[in-house]
Amino acid sequence: MVEKSATSRVEKLYAVKGMNDILPPDSSQWEWFEEQVRSQMTRHAYRNIRTPIVEPTALFVRGTGETTDIVEKEMYAFEDKLNGEALTMRPENTPGVVRAAIEHNLTYDGGKRLYYMGPMFRHERPQRGRYRQFYQLGAEALGFAGPEVDAELMLLAHQLLSDLGLRGVRVELNSLGVASERHAHRVALIEFFQKHIDVLDEDAKRRLHANPLRILDTKNPTMQKMVQDAPQLLDFLGEASLKHFDTVKTLLSACGVKWNVNPRLVRGLDYYSHTVFEFVTDELGAQGTLCGGGRYDGLFELLGGKPTPAVGWGMGIERVLELLKVQGHSNIVSSPDAYAIIPETAGLHTAMQCLQVLRSEGISVQMHAGTPDGMGSIKSQFKRADASGARFALIFGPDEIAQGVVAVKSLRDGSGAQLTQDLSQPAQWAKSLQSLA
Ligand code: ATP
Ligand code: MG
C-alpha cells in the first residue's frame, strides 16, 4: 500500500504512447470480430497457431530483413537483463510461425494451413490506423507450391471482409517471379535509377544497391513520377512464373473477386516470390492497407529449415474495425440476458444459487451488487437493470422467495409484463428465458 499524505497525491500512470486500452463497449466489437474470424478459418480448414510474443532478435533481422523499415527503425529490441540474450517484441508473426514450423517439423506429413491473431509491436509515429502495439490477424499456408493456394488465401481474406459487411475493398496484386527473373530486373532497375540519380532522395540512394525494389515503394512525391517509368518486373517474368500468376488471377475471377494488377506492389526481399497482394480501402486516409501478403518460398531456408514453399497474409485488426465503424457497422453490443434484482441481503443466497443454475444453462445474468450497508432501493436497482441493457429483470423479493418463486419482468418491450417461475427448478424454465423479448 502506498500511503497518501493530505498534500501530495500519488502520480498517475498512463499507457505507453501508441499503445491502447481496448475497453467495453468497444471490446465487444473485438470479440465479435474474433468469433467471425474463428468461424471463417474453421470453414476454410485453417488451424490456430500461438507463438511467443518475444523472439530472438536474429529471427526478425533474418526473417523480416535487415533492410526493411521494421528492422532498421521500428523494433522493440532489448537485452534480457538476466542472461544477456538479444530479444525482440514481435513486429510481425510470419517469422515466428516459420520458426515454429521448422522447430517442430510441422510440414513432415504435408502442408499445413495456419492462422493467428495477436499483438505486434512497431516503434512508429502513432496516428489513426498506425499504433505501436497493434493487432494482426494472419493466415499462412506452409508446404504448398501451387497457385491455387495463393488464390485460396486471397479468397479467404476476401470472404472474411465481405462477410463482416465491408464494401469497397480493392484487391491489388502483382507477381515477383523467381530469383533469376528478379535479378535481371534488378540490374535494369539499378541502371535506370542511376540515370535519375539527381531525383533520388537520401533513403533511395542508400537503398540503390542494397534494395532497389523498395525505391519503387517510395512515399516521396517528388520521386513518384520518375518511379512510374522504371522497368517493370512483370516484363522480366518467364513462362512458368506467368502461368502461376495467370492461374491465381483466373481463379480469383472465377470466384467473383475483382482484382487489379499493380506493378508497383513489391516486397523488397529475396525470399518473396510469385504472388504479392494487398487489400486496400480509400476510406481510411493514408492508412488504407487492410491486408498485405504474398508467397515467401525462400523463408524456410533462410531460417535454417528445408526448402518449403509458403504463402500468407497479415491483416491489421484496428484498421478493419475502423472501416466497420466508418461504414456504419459498429453497433455490436453485448448486454446480459437478465439483471437480478435482490431487494434484501437476506435474499442473496437463494438468488445466487438460482443464478448459478441459470448460468450453467447458458443464460447471462448480471447480479445487482450492493454496499456493505445493504442492497439499495428497488428503484435504484431497476435503474441499473435498465442501464445494463438486459432484456428482463429477475426479482428475488422477500414475498417471492417466501412463495418459492422468482418474478420475471420484461424490460424492453414496454409491456412490463411479469410472470413467476419456480425457484426450486430453474433448470426447467431457464431455456424459456432465451425466447423472452
Ligand atoms: P504500412 O505500409 O501501412 O506501414 P506494412 O507494409 O508495414 O504497412 P505489413 O507489415 O504488411 O504492413 O502488415 C500487415 C497489415 O498490418 C497492414 O496492412 C496494416 O493493416 C497492419 N499494420 C501494419 N503496421 C501497423 C501499425 N503500426 N498499426 C496498425 N496496423 C498496422
Ligand atoms: Mg509499415
Side-chain angles (χ1 to χ4, degrees):
M1 273 290 279
V2 181
E3 290 290 332
K4 281 191 269 183
S5 78
T7 48
S8 78
R9 295 187 62 186
V10 175
E11 195 191 333
K12 270 204 236 168
L13 295 169
Y14 296 90
V16 174
K17 185 175 173 201
M19 304 198 181
N20 301 307
D21 298 310
I22 299 162
L23 309 170
D26 290 351
S27 51
S28 297
Q29 189 86 8
W30 282 74
E31 288 185 309
W32 171 80
F33 174 81
E34 287 158 6
E35 281 160 27
Q36 302 294 310
V37 168
R38 289 194 184 101
S39 152
Q40 196 66 251
M41 291 297 169
T42 306
R43 279 178 273 150
H44 283 81
Y46 279 66
R47 299 178 69 185
N48 189 227
I49 180 167
R50 300 174 187 224
T51 57
I53 283 171
V54 174
E55 295 275 4
T57 298
L59 177 66
F60 303 111
V61 174
R62 272 201 268 162
T64 303
E66 234 163 332
T67 55
T68 58
D69 279 350
I70 291 180
V71 173
E72 280 182 352
K73 51 195 184 204
E74 297 173 1
M75 290 208 306
Y76 283 90
F78 59 98
E79 185 183 298
D80 185 324
K81 280 191 192 136
L82 299 177
N83 60 12
E85 265 185 281
L87 302 176
T88 291
M89 312 267 287
R90 61 183 190 191
E92 59 154 338
N93 204 29
T94 303
V97 168
V98 171
R99 177 205 45 74
I102 296 169
E103 189 168 331
H104 306 286
N105 199 12
L106 272 189
T107 52
Y108 81 102
D109 62 346
K112 291 286 174 294
R113 294 169 159 98
L114 303 169
Y115 81 94
Y116 57 80
M117 279 188 274
M120 307 295 155
F121 302 83
R122 298 184 192 178
H123 197 102
E124 304 197 66
R125 194 169 66 76
Q127 52 198 291
R128 182 188 185 205
R130 194 176 292 286
Y131 310 101
R132 291 182 176 173
Q133 173 171 336
F134 65 100
Y135 287 76
Q136 262 185 7
L137 159 66
E140 317 280 355
L142 312 179
F144 302 98
E148 68 279 5
V149 178
D150 308 27
E152 173 187 273
L153 267 165
M154 294 178 70
L155 289 166
L156 166 54
H158 184 268
Q159 194 167 350
L160 174 68
L161 296 174
S162 64
D163 286 0
L164 290 173
L166 293 174
R167 299 174 305 273
V169 177
R170 282 183 283 115
V171 178
E172 304 208 327
L173 78 169
N174 193 17
S175 172
L176 304 181
V178 295
S180 56
E181 293 154 0
R182 284 196 302 277
H183 183 74
H185 172 246
R186 186 191 146 100
V187 171
L189 201 57
I190 293 178
E191 207 173 292
F192 173 85
F193 285 139
Q194 269 166 342
K195 275 193 224 138
H196 296 86
I197 197 94
D198 46 318
V199 196
L200 298 187
D201 61 17
E202 283 314 305
D203 246 13
K205 278 184 191 144
R206 202 162 37 81
R207 284 176 172 147
L208 181 56
H209 291 279
N211 198 341
L213 262 189
R214 282 290 308 283
I215 301 176
L216 296 178
D217 204 13
T218 183
K219 292 183 173 117
N220 181 345
T222 59
M223 281 170 55
Q224 273 166 348
K225 195 171 162 359
M226 176 273 293
V227 154
Q228 280 184 356
D229 301 325
Q232 293 194 0
L233 180 45
L234 281 177
D235 296 328
F236 289 77
L237 298 190
E239 209 175 311
S241 292
L242 285 172
K243 187 166 167 237
H244 187 110
F245 195 34
D246 280 341
T247 307
V248 174
K249 293 186 289 189
T250 311
L251 290 173
L252 290 176
S253 297
C255 295
V257 174
K258 294 202 186 79
W259 44 263
N260 261 316
V261 173
N262 176 355
R264 275 179 306 285
L265 193 60
V266 292
R267 306 240 148 185
L269 292 172
D270 250 12
Y271 60 79
Y272 283 108
S273 52
H274 297 297
T275 323
V276 285
F277 55 87
E278 281 186 356
F279 285 65
V280 191
T281 173
D282 296 325
E283 293 174 68
L284 293 179
Q287 271 58 251
T289 306
L290 298 173
C291 175
R295 183 164 273 285
Y296 50 92
D297 288 346
L299 185 57
F300 271 70
E301 275 173 283
L302 202 65
L303 296 179
K306 289 190 226 108
T308 308
V311 50
W313 49 251
M315 186 182 285
I317 299 182
E318 285 85 351
R319 293 186 191 180
V320 171
L321 296 185
E322 182 67 17
L323 186 60
L324 280 164
K325 199 179 274 180
V326 168
Q327 296 191 352
H329 298 289
S330 57
N331 44 6
I332 311 301
V333 283
S334 147
S335 305
D337 297 319
Y339 191 96
I341 295 202
I342 310 167
E344 295 182 2
T345 40
L348 273 171
H349 68 271
T350 310
M352 289 177 84
Q353 283 165 359
C354 177
L355 300 189
Q356 271 185 302
V357 178
L358 294 179
R359 287 169 179 148
S360 51
E361 294 297 321
I363 306 298
S364 68
V365 195
Q366 181 172 332
M367 181 183 76
H368 185 77
T371 67
D373 299 328
M375 296 304 288
S377 72
I378 302 227
K379 195 173 159 208
S380 68
Q381 294 202 29
F382 267 106
K383 250 191 190 159
R384 294 262 175 198
D386 221 35
S388 76
R391 285 176 295 123
F392 50 88
L394 298 168
I395 305 157
F396 295 90
D399 295 346
E400 283 87 3
I401 292 176
Q403 292 165 35
V405 298
V406 54
V408 182
K409 185 178 159 90
S410 172
L411 294 174
R412 303 287 151 200
D413 67 357
S415 71
Q418 190 163 319
L419 54 97
T420 57
Q421 294 286 9
D422 184 353
L423 251 183
S424 64
Q425 304 287 347
Q428 290 186 355
W429 47 269
K431 290 281 181 273
S432 69
L433 291 179
Q434 252 148 4
S435 53
L436 280 184

